């Protein structure tokens, strides 16, 4: 096959996150999402976890030098169109990744991962200030859930009315847009997207399915994929919400605990 007849390369998205050995969240979920959405996924591993459907049994952070080397290796040769961050467990890692992203002129989606689906802490308390002052300011979109909003800002949200206040508190740290994920509220699954002036409410039905491991990673990766393809932030978030809603609806049992969402639901794969 000649070079001219080969297909052109798809948009490139880089995830900077931890590994989930169970395959439902983390780097594994990110790469599955990117494949499903037609972009080329690349990865910088920040931590290795021993993790399954029941929880996180152990976590080992990678050295900062290893994280920096992975990032430079990929970006300097292959290039990147959007970056997504997930588990960054220490202040040193947060600051290193923030510096790397700040020097890369592309969209970034920051998922400020604080705890796992099972309630396991994935972020040292000492790293919270670094997330606020270093990482959030370089984010095109920050995607905290309500627990992470409380961790970062002290704002407790108990109803939709509090989501604007939560968004303002997160925006004060410097991201261009914030998506407040209201999945922990009752009723419809409602998220609130704003840049401080423009507002978008995104609603989806809530499914009676507890197999939702990896939703946050999947949503952030889907947003990054949309941005890499040239979509605006509202367009990328709306498309990502639709993709994640389908993945949650198709989530399947795996192991003895909380199973994953189905990243391949549009193709009839996974637990379908």
């Amino acid at each position: 096959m000649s070079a001219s007849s080969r297909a052109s390369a798809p948009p490139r998205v880089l995830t900077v996150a931890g590994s989930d050995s169970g395959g439902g969240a983390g780097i594994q979920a990110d790469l599955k999402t990117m494949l499903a959405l037609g972009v080329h996924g690349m990865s910088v591993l920040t931590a290795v976890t021993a993790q399954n459907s029941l929880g996180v049994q152990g976590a080992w952070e990678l050295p900062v030098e290893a994280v920096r080397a992975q990032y430079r290796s990929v970006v300097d040769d292959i290039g990147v169109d959007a970056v997504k961050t997930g588990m960054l467990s220490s202040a040193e890692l947060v600051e290193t990744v923030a510096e790397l992203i700040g020097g890369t002129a592309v969209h970034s989606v920051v998922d400020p991962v604080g705890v796992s689906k099972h309630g396991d802490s994935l972020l040292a308390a000492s790293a919270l200030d670094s997330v606020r002052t270093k990482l959030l300011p370089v984010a095109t979109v920050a995607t905290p859930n309500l627990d992470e909003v409380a961790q970062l800002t002290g704002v407790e949200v108990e109803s939709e009315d509090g989501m604007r206040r939560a968004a303002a508190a997160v925006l004060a740290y410097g991201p261009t847009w914030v998506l407040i994920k209201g999945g922990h509220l009752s009723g419809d699954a409602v998220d609130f997207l704003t840049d401080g002036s423009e507002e978008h409410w995104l609603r989806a039905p809530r499914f009676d399915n507890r197999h939702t491991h990896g939703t946050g990673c999947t949503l952030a990766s889907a947003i990054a994929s949309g941005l890499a393809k040239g979509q605006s932030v509202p367009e990328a978030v709306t498309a990502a919400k639709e993709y994640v809603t389908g993945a949650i609806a198709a989530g399947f049992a795996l192991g003895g605990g909380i199973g994953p969402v189905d990243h391949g639901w549009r193709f009839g794969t996974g637990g379908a």
Side-chain angles (χ1 to χ4, degrees):
M1 181 183 290
S2 68
S4 61
S5 64
R6 292 189 192 121
S8 58
R12 303 150 297 177
V13 183
L14 177 62
T15 169
V16 184
S19 167
D20 172 5
S21 53
I27 288 276
Q28 288 81 353
D30 297 339
L31 294 176
K32 291 174 186 178
T33 298
M34 293 168 191
L35 178 64
L37 295 179
V39 301
H40 176 68
M42 308 172 292
S43 61
V44 170
L45 215 60
T46 61
V48 175
T49 68
Q51 187 173 167
N52 56 27
S53 70
L54 300 173
V56 179
Q57 292 79 43
W60 297 266
E61 181 181 308
L62 266 68
V64 163
E65 314 86 76
V67 171
R68 186 185 298 276
Q70 290 175 82
Y71 191 99
R72 291 265 60 94
S73 176
V74 170
V75 173
D76 293 347
D77 172 47
I78 300 172
V80 66
D81 297 302
V83 179
K84 175 261 177 189
T85 71
M87 178 184 176
L88 304 172
S89 50
S90 69
E92 190 179 16
L93 264 183
V94 170
E95 291 170 14
T96 297
V97 171
E99 175 195 339
L100 290 166
I101 291 174
T104 310
V106 296
H107 288 304
S108 60
V109 180
V110 170
D111 184 15
V113 177
V115 295
S116 75
K117 181 70 68 178
H118 308 89
D120 303 289
S121 178
L122 300 175
L123 179 72
S126 59
L128 277 171
D129 195 51
S130 296
V131 172
R132 296 182 190 104
T133 62
K134 304 291 186 182
L135 192 58
L136 288 177
V138 300
T140 305
V141 189
T143 63
N145 63 30
L146 299 185
D147 288 341
E148 290 155 356
V149 166
Q151 262 190 320
L152 291 166
T153 70
V155 174
E156 302 277 353
V157 178
E158 296 178 355
S159 68
E160 284 185 29
D161 293 340
M163 293 178 79
R164 275 198 182 92
R165 188 162 54 94
V170 176
L171 283 172
Y173 290 116
T176 307
W177 291 81
V178 62
L179 178 69
I180 303 295
K181 299 181 295 193
H184 294 177
L185 298 176
S186 57
D188 285 349
V190 58
D191 301 327
F192 177 58
L193 174 70
T194 183
D195 63 353
S197 56
E198 195 175 322
E199 294 184 349
H200 302 268
W201 291 91
L202 297 96
R203 298 179 185 277
R206 186 177 298 277
F207 299 102
D208 183 19
N209 183 1
R210 72 190 188 97
H211 300 302
T212 56
H213 187 48
T215 49
C217 307
T218 300
L219 179 65
S221 292
I223 294 170
S225 298
L227 294 174
K229 291 190 281 190
Q231 295 174 352
S232 68
V233 170
E235 287 170 341
V237 171
T238 300
K241 172 83 168 179
E242 179 187 353
Y243 170 72
V244 171
T245 298
I248 291 171
F252 52 92
L254 206 64
I258 299 173
V261 300
D262 183 358
H263 297 95
W265 66 273
R266 285 178 171 158
F267 312 110
T269 61

